[in-house]
Amino acid sequence: MIIMNWLKVFLLFSFLGIVNTGCSQRPDHKSKEILELQELNSKKEHRRVIKMSKELLKNNPNDLQILRQLGIAYYDMSISDSSYVNFRDNAKSIFSKMNSIDSSNIFALKSLGVVFYDEQDCDSSYYYFSKALLFKTLDGETYFDDAPQLNDFDIASEYLMYLRARTCIYLKCNLKGAIKDVQFCINSGYMLKETYLLGGILSYAFDLKEQCCNHLNEAKKLGNEEADFYLEQFCLSP
């Protein structure tokens, strides 16, 4: 029993990056160039980010920080201007490359989940969000954030669950799996305006009308403008 307890402690510490088990450690330090790329992306100067990132990648083709900023630039352009919708494929290619370099990169996995959601590919979107969450738990119940091996590529567990639930509910796959995610977010007080809306839609799918209307009313109270549409469809119609 004592040996097993120590083994569990060792595995936990190894997973969190406290024990050196050969896992790549990702430095938190960001170069001047990376900070500049971040700032340009925040200002929506995506063309400059793309040009600068491509130049930087000539010398550092596998630099995850540069790749992340390039992927963000491509993706933001694809959703902000319909004439650049094909840039979503560029973004997916960049995020896939990040994933091939580091299969446990939470940001890359989340981003692939988002891209596949945009493409209406429910199974693939669900897969990548679930894979991201696998790296944030040891028991499937307790999730941790900001662990050393995740560094600033980490994404909050609640956000990943919200995104996975959104995929299930709007694209209509694995609705039963969404129940746990929605409840987790509600219990955590996370994005309640959006989560209660998802909860309402999900409850209606399982013919739980009272719970559906309660969730939608909560969403409306919190200022969710979509709630009225679903209240009219699910709760006010005979």
Side-chain angles (χ1 to χ4, degrees), residues 7-210:
L7 178 59
K8 289 179 181 178
V9 171
F10 177 79
L11 289 173
L12 173 63
F13 280 20
S14 297
F15 190 75
L16 296 179
I18 297 172
V19 176
N20 183 7
T21 58
C23 297
S24 60
Q25 298 298 310
R26 297 163 220 161
D28 281 328
H29 173 71
K30 293 182 182 178
S31 68
K32 178 180 67 175
E33 290 83 2
I34 298 300
L35 293 173
E36 184 178 353
L37 289 172
Q38 278 185 309
E39 184 176 0
L40 289 172
N41 261 332
S42 70
K43 293 178 178 178
K44 308 297 182 185
E45 296 186 38
H46 303 310
R47 290 180 180 278
R48 291 181 61 189
V49 172
I50 293 170
K51 181 179 180 181
M52 182 177 171
S53 296
K54 286 181 175 180
E55 285 297 317
L56 292 171
L57 287 169
K58 289 178 181 179
N59 295 322
N60 301 288
N62 293 331
D63 189 302
L64 290 171
Q65 294 282 6
I66 301 172
L67 289 168
R68 168 162 63 176
Q69 297 306 319
L70 178 58
I72 290 171
Y74 276 132
Y75 181 76
D76 282 358
M77 287 188 73
S78 76
I79 62 174
S80 62
D81 187 333
S82 59
S83 62
Y84 293 108
V85 67
N86 61 308
F87 276 15
R88 184 169 60 199
D89 290 334
N90 299 65
K92 182 163 66 172
S93 177
I94 295 298
F95 299 141
S96 294
K97 180 175 181 179
M98 292 179 68
N99 184 231
S100 67
I101 295 169
D102 179 5
S103 62
S104 66
N105 189 289
I106 305 296
F107 173 83
L109 292 168
K110 181 272 296 182
S111 299
L112 285 168
V114 170
V115 170
F116 280 113
Y117 172 81
D118 290 346
E119 295 180 348
Q120 307 288 293
D121 184 340
C122 193
D123 290 337
S124 296
S125 180
Y126 183 88
Y127 168 79
Y128 281 107
F129 291 137
S130 298
K131 191 174 180 182
L133 282 161
L134 277 177
F135 289 107
K136 295 172 66 63
T137 181
L138 293 178
D139 57 12
E141 297 293 335
T142 306
Y143 293 87
F144 53 82
D145 293 313
D146 302 318
Q149 94 281 9
L150 300 177
N151 275 273
D152 69 342
F153 288 99
D154 195 12
I155 304 292
S157 303
E158 294 91 343
Y159 186 49
L160 290 169
M161 288 189 177
Y162 169 80
L163 291 173
R164 186 168 67 175
R166 184 187 67 166
T167 288
C168 294
I169 293 165
Y170 286 132
L171 301 186
K172 296 181 171 59
C173 69
N174 196 14
L175 288 175
K176 288 186 178 179
I179 296 173
K180 178 181 177 181
D181 289 345
V182 168
Q183 197 57 53
F184 187 95
C185 290
I186 289 175
N187 291 344
S188 303
Y190 186 78
M191 290 179 63
L192 290 178
K193 181 172 70 173
E194 293 81 8
T195 302
Y196 273 123
L197 184 75
L198 290 183
I201 300 170
L202 182 63
S203 298
Y204 185 80
F206 287 101
D207 203 25
L208 301 171
K209 186 171 182 178
E210 183 178 355

